[in-house]
Amino acid sequence: MAMSTPSSQAGEPPATKPTVVLVALWGVSHFAPMVEVGKRLLALSGGHSLAVDVLVVPSPTGKWEAEIFERISREEASGLDIRFHHLPAVEPPTDYMHIAGIEEFVSRYVQLYVPHLKAIVVSGLACPVAAVVIDIFCTTLLDAPQELGVPAYVFLISSAAMAAVLLRSPSLDEEVPAQIEFVELEGGVDVPGLPPVPASNLPTGLDNRKIPTYKWFVYNGRRYMETDGIIINTIAELEPSVLAAITDGRCTRGIPTPPVYTIGPVVAIAPPAEDKHECVRWLDSQPPASVLFLCFGGGGGYFSVAQVHDIARGLERSGHRFLWVLRGQPEPGTKLPTDANLAQLLPDGFVERTKDRALVWPARAPQKEVLAHAAVGGFVTHCGWSSITESLWFGVPTLPWPHAAEQHFNAFMLVAEMGVAVGMKLDKERSNFVEAAELERAVKAVMGDGEAARKVRERAMEMKAACRKAVEEGGSSVVSLQRLHDALIQGAVEPKK
């Protein structure tokens, strides 16, 4: 699809306000927070001081395309001064099937868009450019703003801890001899501001120095230092020690990092739907804080039959109420889960035996509406950062069940650093399998009346209060966002031709 601007802008005089160029990836969990950052910047001054242009990188596979276009249509209809430009399709790297990890693929794929980014910044925007803001693994795109003399920022949709481990990775790579794997280090991996990190909890790709993806983690961490600022989807009160380590230069061997802006939690909260979802209606009939919610993200959430049966046994034996979003295996040639056939997946008689205290939902569910409900008292999550920020926003303690990417690292943070979760043993060698007995133990620990449950509930409620305060007037994230806004205005330049 060719570059375009929305029809609502046609015929209007060229903007004179500095524009922030957001480069948005095709995944909803990346696209939505990036656009939300633009909306928050506009809200600071009612849209009078900045404009926002979003460059939409097309999906190389078509995954998420329909949902992204639907979101763009909603944003264009909102009347906000946000212009969307659809970048043209390009052929992905020809050897992408052999690339070790998604991080390397994304880095190499978006690098093909450097000429397109330069062209639209130079000739597609009729105003000074305040900055180009790139996604977490898109540092190959930094070549474009650098060549044009335009400020560049990186937006991490993940935690400050993730920023720390990425910034730390170049020096860690130099300090640990190449022949030694991180799993061999006694006491875990040293990331300033964090407890020692077990190698098994490092983000996938950074935990194995033999694969190409490892080099891309180090590469991205090194290039963050070339930016004019690092924007993070967190709040200062959630990760104070790791933020201090970043800003003090302890993650970068004393070399000052670019300014850090904590502007989270970036959670877009829509008004309640007029017609309640069936899951929400079911929750209306449950006691307060009595239901365990199991949901594993929009792009995943499907399990083998053997794992489904162990989940069912663990939930049934726990004795607690639950709302389980259970998805089916993807269709051949696709990666997204399908609506589940409960009769084929669940053990015989399970639905009948648990019908008085449970709902198994076989399709997508409105996660934020469910987490907001007073009946929900715990959340089994795959530990994507968006899901974590939503659980913190609503004050719901978690049972982490990570699968891939940075999710194991997030799970470690939830338990060891933030104290808002009860840990659960899983077998990474068996696709992160969790035995029925372990799930039963963990459910009882987070949903029961014991000391562990009390502590995580209290901590989750403290984080809920901190998140709400951070985005109120004078709150830490609002102050940080204002600093970012002012830096963008002051740094606006005409790009080099």
Side-chain angles (χ1 to χ4, degrees), residues 373-403:
H373 202 285
V376 174
F379 180 31
V380 182
T381 173
H382 69 302
C383 293
W385 189 248
S386 292
S387 291
I388 289 172
T389 56
E390 289 170 11
S391 70
L392 295 171
W393 180 260
F394 295 113
V396 180
T398 54
L399 282 180
W401 191 336
H403 293 90

Side-chain angles (χ1 to χ4, degrees), residues 99-119:
I99 294 174
I102 187 63
E103 297 82 9
E104 179 178 354
F105 173 72
V106 171
S107 293
R108 292 178 58 183
Y109 176 62
V110 300
Q111 190 171 24
L112 300 173
Y113 281 96
V114 167
H116 301 282
L117 176 55
K118 289 173 61 179

Side-chain angles (χ1 to χ4, degrees), residues 319-333:
H320 287 281
R321 301 170 189 268
F322 60 89
L323 168 55
W324 180 8
V325 179
L326 176 60
R327 306 302 306 279
Q329 295 283 342
E331 297 287 349

Side-chain angles (χ1 to χ4, degrees), residues 463-491:
M463 287 298 98
K464 174 182 177 179
C467 286
R468 305 297 175 102
K469 185 176 181 181
V471 296
E472 293 174 355
E473 185 176 356
S476 61
S477 292
V478 174
V479 170
S480 189
L481 186 70
Q482 185 68 58
R483 285 177 46 235
L484 173 61
H485 175 276
D486 295 346
L488 293 171
I489 297 291
Q490 293 166 8

Side-chain angles (χ1 to χ4, degrees), residues 60 123 283 304 486:
S123 59
L283 287 169
S304 66
D486 295 346

Side-chain angles (χ1 to χ4, degrees), residues 139-151:
T139 53
T140 49
L141 282 175
L142 286 174
D143 296 345
Q146 287 176 348
E147 290 176 25
L148 298 175
V150 171

Side-chain angles (χ1 to χ4, degrees), residues 131-168:
V132 171
V133 182
I134 62 168
D135 198 86
I136 179 172
F137 287 116
C138 294
T139 53
T140 49
L141 282 175
L142 286 174
D143 296 345
Q146 287 176 348
E147 290 176 25
L148 298 175
V150 171
Y153 292 70
V154 61
F155 174 47
L156 275 72
I157 61 168
S158 52
S159 63
M162 187 65 177
V165 77
L166 285 165
L167 287 165
R168 171 78 169 115

